[in-house]
Amino acid sequence: MVSPKMNTVELNSNLSVAPHEVGLSADRLACITAAAQEFIDDRQLAGAVTVVARRGRIAHLEAYGMMDIEANKLMQRDTIFRIYSMTKPIAAVAVMLLHEEGKLQLDAPASTYLPELGGLKVAATADADTLTLIEADRDMTVRDLMQHTAGLPGAARYMAGQTAVDKRYREEGLHLLHECNLQEMVERLGRIPLLYQPGTKWHYSIAADVSGRLIEVVSGQPFDVFLTKRIFQPLGMVDTGFYVPAEKIDRFTSMYGPTSEGGLQVIDAPEGGTSHVSENSFIEKPKFLSAGGGLVSTAADFARFCLMLSCKGTLAGKRLMTAESVGLMTRNHLPKHLIPLDKKPDKRYTGLGFGLGVSVRVQQTDWIPTSQVGEYGWIGGASTEFWISPRDELVVITLAQHIPFSELSEQIKPLVYAAIVKE
């Protein structure tokens, strides 16, 4: 069932438009609705929200299915989602704002601003059972932090791994990030070796969280305050933050996973009830303000962020960042030998390089042949994704709450490209 409710910000923003006004076919966009409904009818998803925008205007914003099956609550267009790693591009914009002001340099050592990270040793072999340390060829830079070439590990690795480096991370309590603040996290990182020489390997990592502390130190403001004042308020992102206030809990969706019988089960619910609640349930302000995956948001809010990027730093005629900064963020910075991204075996990462906080498609592949070189975006671990095609002036957002990652966004991409009217 498609919900008729629309976000108040979207109604008041004059960002909505009929599809034909931006060169899109309404009939073909309706195929997105059919595809999403099929996932719900097959019990692969409880519900979803999809957005398609072009030329700076929203042509499609629809909600499907349920946000809470147990409570019989329909998914709404203003439902609040855990966006997890889609936090990273927002943090990257924050870094770029400080770069524009001359307060930090991308190629400066990170230790210029975070002295705890200076002079770190490197594990001679990342996967060894015993720890042998060697000197780093150079310090990690701010750019390394933003493009995941800093030599830092990813959270999943040190929570479960059994190598000598993994064990050192756990000894410092870095598997319990929810018990740290950003300063404490960086202090602990400063006592532990790097996995790789900076700049020599792309490794999806905790580096994005380090950028949160970088923003605090350079700006002189708490990370959440900086994001609110410099990004959320200027863009009208009224429902984006590190937790869901009590008065908005009724709009916060449950998260689902598969059952052994092929159905759905709740794995995280906003108010608990009979279901499991995760360590970070997003119902109160966390101690750890994760720049790597800590935000919640709505379709309308995140669309405003994406439209700003698509419009080269402006939204509704108001500039947030320079076109040069957007261009720098959204072009590939990895050398050829680090492409494709060294992530879990998954066809979606073939043909991808990385910019500053976003992936960038550098070649077409068999995964989705319609994907265009130059597309950029990223995903969130609970089945959220956005991508932007500069060539086609397209913004597409898919929001669901399901672990493992749903294939809905993969199914929608060719439908969006097929909706472009030849001009």
Side-chain angles (χ1 to χ4, degrees):
M1 179 180 295
V2 178
S3 168
K5 187 176 179 181
M6 189 170 290
N7 186 289
T8 303
V9 172
E10 183 219 339
L11 279 172
N12 295 336
S13 66
N14 297 318
L15 292 176
S16 298
V17 68
H20 72 271
E21 295 181 63
V22 289
L24 294 171
S25 164
D27 289 341
R28 292 176 184 173
L29 287 178
C31 294
I32 296 172
T33 299
Q37 193 61 50
E38 185 173 347
F39 274 78
I40 292 162
D41 292 344
D42 290 345
R43 300 193 72 193
Q44 296 182 56
L45 290 175
V49 179
T50 55
V51 180
V52 179
R54 195 178 189 209
R55 299 173 185 164
R57 307 288 291 279
I58 297 172
H60 163 99
L61 171 55
E62 298 293 350
Y64 323 91
M66 310 297 290
M67 61 181 286
D68 189 328
I69 295 173
E70 292 176 317
N72 197 34
K73 292 175 64 176
L74 289 174
M75 184 69 75
Q76 303 289 347
R77 296 177 183 177
D78 65 353
T79 291
I80 298 172
F81 291 81
R82 306 156 189 81
I83 64 169
Y84 289 130
S85 287
M86 280 166 52
T87 303
K88 291 177 172 73
I90 294 176
V93 166
V95 173
M96 296 307 296
L97 293 177
L98 293 169
H99 173 64
E100 287 179 10
E101 296 169 358
K103 293 181 178 178
L104 61 77
Q105 299 301 315
L106 298 181
D107 292 317
S111 58
T112 304
Y113 316 102
L114 302 173
E116 302 95 328
L117 301 181
L120 295 185
K121 305 289 187 182
V122 181
T125 304
D127 295 326
D129 294 331
T130 58
L131 189 57
T132 301
L133 300 180
I134 59 175
E135 296 292 327
D137 295 334
R138 63 170 177 82
D139 281 350
M140 70 180 78
T141 64
V142 173
R143 189 187 300 267
D144 285 322
L145 293 174
M146 298 177 75
Q147 65 187 28
H148 296 288
T149 54
L152 293 167
R157 175 190 176 99
Y158 59 69
M159 286 178 68
Q162 296 302 315
T163 70
V165 176
D166 297 331
K167 293 174 182 177
R168 284 286 295 116
Y169 273 77
R170 287 197 295 275
E171 287 169 7
E172 290 293 342
L174 281 159
H175 60 305
L176 302 171
L177 287 179
H178 62 283
E179 297 180 359
C180 304
N181 60 33
L182 291 172
Q183 179 180 348
E184 291 166 343
M185 175 199 67
V186 171
E187 289 173 349
R188 296 179 188 191
L189 283 173
R191 298 193 289 266
I192 301 169
L194 300 175
L195 283 176
Y196 310 102
Q197 291 285 355
T200 64
K201 184 177 177 65
W202 188 91
H203 187 75
Y204 195 52
S205 73
I206 198 174
D209 287 316
V210 175
S211 72
R213 178 57 181 164
L214 176 73
I215 291 161
E216 288 189 332
V217 170
V218 174
S219 71
Q221 298 178 337
F223 181 42
D224 56 339
V225 172
F226 185 89
L227 292 185
T228 298
K229 290 183 176 179
R230 298 297 303 277
I231 298 177
F232 302 155
Q233 289 178 349
L235 293 181
M237 297 171 68
V238 297
D239 291 320
T240 302
F242 287 96
Y243 69 104
V244 182
E247 65 272 17
K248 298 182 181 181
I249 287 291
D250 65 330
R251 291 197 284 125
F252 189 27
T253 182
S254 294
M255 183 160 60
Y256 292 85
T259 66
S260 57
E261 295 79 25
L264 294 168
Q265 60 181 333
V266 176
I267 57 176
D268 192 10
E271 297 179 278
T274 60
S275 305
H276 172 71
V277 178
S278 65
E279 279 179 346
N280 182 7
S281 59
F282 296 96
I283 58 175
E284 59 184 23
K285 182 177 178 178
K287 182 176 183 180
F288 184 66
L289 302 175
S290 173
L295 290 176
V296 297
S297 191
T298 62
D301 271 17
F302 207 83
R304 296 171 76 83
F305 175 76
C306 290
L307 287 171
M308 179 276 296
L309 292 176
S310 179
C311 295
K312 297 180 173 26
T314 66
L315 180 70
K318 296 182 180 179
R319 182 163 295 282
L320 181 82
M321 61 192 301
T322 67
E324 292 77 13
S325 289
V326 175
L328 189 60
M329 266 188 66
T330 60
R331 69 170 181 258
N332 175 56
H333 289 264
L334 298 183
K336 288 184 179 180
H337 69 276
L338 295 184
I339 297 171
L341 302 183
D342 183 18
K343 211 168 184 298
K344 62 182 181 181
D346 191 323
K347 56 189 176 181
R348 77 165 42 248
Y349 298 107
T350 61
L352 291 186
F354 211 79
L356 304 178
V358 293
S359 64
V360 183
R361 181 156 295 283
V362 296
Q363 64 184 45
Q364 289 180 290
T365 68
D366 292 337
W367 174 53
I368 300 179
T370 52
S371 290
Q372 298 299 316
V373 171
E375 278 180 10
Y376 62 89
W378 200 236
I379 66 173
S383 301
T384 63
E385 182 166 10
F386 81 98
W387 56 271
I388 297 172
S389 172
R391 190 197 74 169
D392 300 292
E393 300 177 271
L394 276 174
V395 167
V396 181
I397 303 167
T398 306
L399 301 176
Q401 297 283 254
H402 188 276
I403 295 175
F405 197 87
S406 168
E407 294 182 357
L408 176 61
S409 58
E410 178 180 340
Q411 296 296 317
I412 284 175
K413 180 173 282 194
L415 301 178
V416 174
Y417 275 118
I420 297 176
V421 177
K422 301 299 182 183
E423 300 170 354

